[in-house]
Amino acid sequence: MPTSDLLLFALGASRTFGQRVADRLGIPLADHEEREFEDGQHKARSLVNVRGRDVFVLHGLHGDDEQSVNDKLCRLLFFLGSIRDASAATVTAVVPFLCYSRKDRKTKPRDPVTTRYVAALFEAVGVDRVVTLDVHNPAAFQNAFRCRTEHLEARKLFVEYLASALGEDPVAVVSPDVGGTKRADGLRQSLASRLGRLVSGAHVEKYRSQDVVSGEALVGDVAGRTAFLFDDMISSGGTVARAAGACRAGGARRVWVGASHGVFTPEARDALVDDAIDRVVTLDTIPPDRLGTGTARSKLVQLDATKLFADAIRAMHVGGSVVELLEP
């Protein structure tokens, strides 16, 4: 399929990130317009002919000070539907951060399984494929959708960063809870292979009752090491601050916190200034505006994820392998 058949749109707050993805692809962002109406309704439409084209629409579904998660989801769905109605050959939603991906099962009687409902909405507007990055539970994400999905992983980006930043320092990869042990262990194994030396693993206990989180016991050895706390997202920061304190108590020389998605609710600014945390490493898919310009923001390092998305879009466009992009 020739490159001339590829169109990439980026909506709203994701336009800056989308422009950088387009630059890596060597194409311009496709033109569109978004209109706001006085009663709170809105409209978005393509300004170019999409008939017969391979169309990708990039939009992160994180809330910010201007639009809620639900606002962004609604806008994306309407725009995707309009692209399908305009006779695009294929329609792919590229969603760096997928909202509601943590609500993938019932934890209480009559609970919603919101991930599945969101999947049904994408399918209802005629999407051929949904692409996202490091959801909380990849298996639940893949099982929720009946259309094609691609789940990108940022492990390689973190491995390369750590290999450069650590030097010869000993390191332990730590999960902030038992549920994230598989994710952290995958990073540990890849990092050990890249460094050519032992990387220890550990996890911190975590209990949640009525939205109150507790547990500080550390399982594993972090003494004298840089402890790298690894999770899928940082929201309020309470979980990683609690786990960082446990690592310090366990003798960690430094504590770095890493997560693919820096959602950073307003509470995160206070949590991340904790003296137990030396550095916070996330991808650049979500702007860190809520951290402000103080101490928490000064600890933040953002890794460039635009090449990963550009390479994935290119591979999907030409029928190449996305899996090969993710191999350690």
Side-chain angles (χ1 to χ4, degrees):
M1 186 178 292
T3 306
S4 59
D5 288 335
L6 170 63
L7 286 176
L8 174 64
F9 294 90
L11 298 183
S14 298
R15 188 167 182 83
T16 299
F17 186 82
Q19 182 62 64
R20 292 166 52 216
V21 174
D23 291 343
R24 288 190 177 274
L25 286 166
I27 62 174
L29 275 180
D31 290 334
H32 76 285
E33 71 168 354
E34 298 180 50
R35 292 184 58 193
E36 308 289 333
F37 298 101
E38 291 82 357
D39 60 356
Q41 298 184 62
H42 51 80
K43 180 185 79 170
R45 70 183 183 102
S46 170
L47 296 177
V48 298
N49 186 359
V50 302
R51 181 178 297 274
R53 309 287 289 275
D54 192 13
V55 178
F56 295 79
V57 181
L58 187 151
H59 195 42
L61 298 179
H62 56 277
D64 57 34
D65 292 338
E66 295 184 0
Q67 294 177 4
S68 71
V69 166
N70 299 324
D71 289 333
K72 291 185 177 182
L73 176 61
C74 188
R75 290 164 188 265
L76 176 59
L77 291 170
F78 290 172
F79 188 74
L80 291 167
S82 73
I83 296 298
R84 169 56 68 207
D85 287 347
S87 300
T90 62
V91 181
T92 299
V94 181
V95 188
F97 177 77
L98 180 62
C99 60
Y100 298 111
S101 65
R102 284 193 168 187
K103 196 67 188 81
D104 55 25
R105 62 190 177 92
K106 294 185 178 183
T107 54
K108 294 181 179 179
R110 297 172 295 281
D111 251 7
V113 186
T114 318
T115 299
R116 180 161 55 84
Y117 310 153
V118 170
L121 291 172
F122 277 103
E123 292 156 10
V125 297
V127 169
D128 295 293
R129 179 169 44 201
V130 175
V131 183
T132 192
L133 171 73
D134 281 344
V135 297
H136 185 64
N137 185 336
F141 160 71
Q142 291 159 349
N143 288 331
F145 285 80
R146 298 297 173 262
C147 65
R148 287 174 290 169
T149 60
E150 295 289 352
H151 181 256
L152 305 183
E153 297 179 3
R155 185 191 309 174
K156 287 174 66 173
L157 298 178
F158 284 101
V159 166
E160 290 306 313
Y161 171 77
L162 290 170
S164 174
L166 286 168
E168 299 300 318
D169 290 352
V171 60
V173 177
V174 184
S175 173
D177 54 42
V178 175
T181 301
K182 184 176 180 180
R183 179 187 305 107
D185 194 57
L187 177 66
R188 183 193 63 79
Q189 293 182 46
S190 296
L191 182 59
S193 176
R194 173 67 174 80
L195 295 176
R197 65 176 189 266
L198 176 69
V199 174
S200 63
H203 71 267
V204 180
E205 68 173 356
K206 176 182 176 180
Y207 305 105
R208 183 186 297 273
S209 177
Q210 300 295 321
D211 289 329
V212 176
V213 176
S214 61
E216 297 179 354
L218 174 69
V219 179
D221 182 18
V222 300
R225 303 172 183 273
T226 295
F228 186 70
L229 280 162
F230 189 56
D231 209 350
D232 59 320
M233 73 168 74
I234 300 172
S235 185
S236 68
T239 293
V240 292
R242 174 188 51 81
C247 289
R248 287 289 192 185
R253 189 169 65 85
R254 302 184 293 189
V255 177
W256 294 354
V257 173
S260 297
H261 306 294
V263 177
F264 300 139
T265 63
E267 296 82 4
R269 187 183 309 181
D270 294 330
L272 297 180
V273 299
D274 192 311
D275 289 340
I277 298 173
D278 297 295
R279 187 176 302 183
V280 180
V281 186
T282 69
L283 303 183
D284 59 351
T285 50
I286 301 178
D289 299 337
R290 288 174 171 171
L291 287 185
T293 59
T295 301
R297 180 65 177 84
S298 69
K299 295 182 180 182
L300 181 67
V301 175
Q302 287 199 301
L303 308 182
D304 187 351
T306 57
K307 184 177 186 301
L308 174 61
F309 279 94
D311 288 347
I313 290 170
R314 185 181 293 108
M316 287 182 282
H317 178 62
V318 301
S321 173
V322 175
V323 173
E324 291 180 359
L325 301 175
L326 309 179
E327 294 175 348

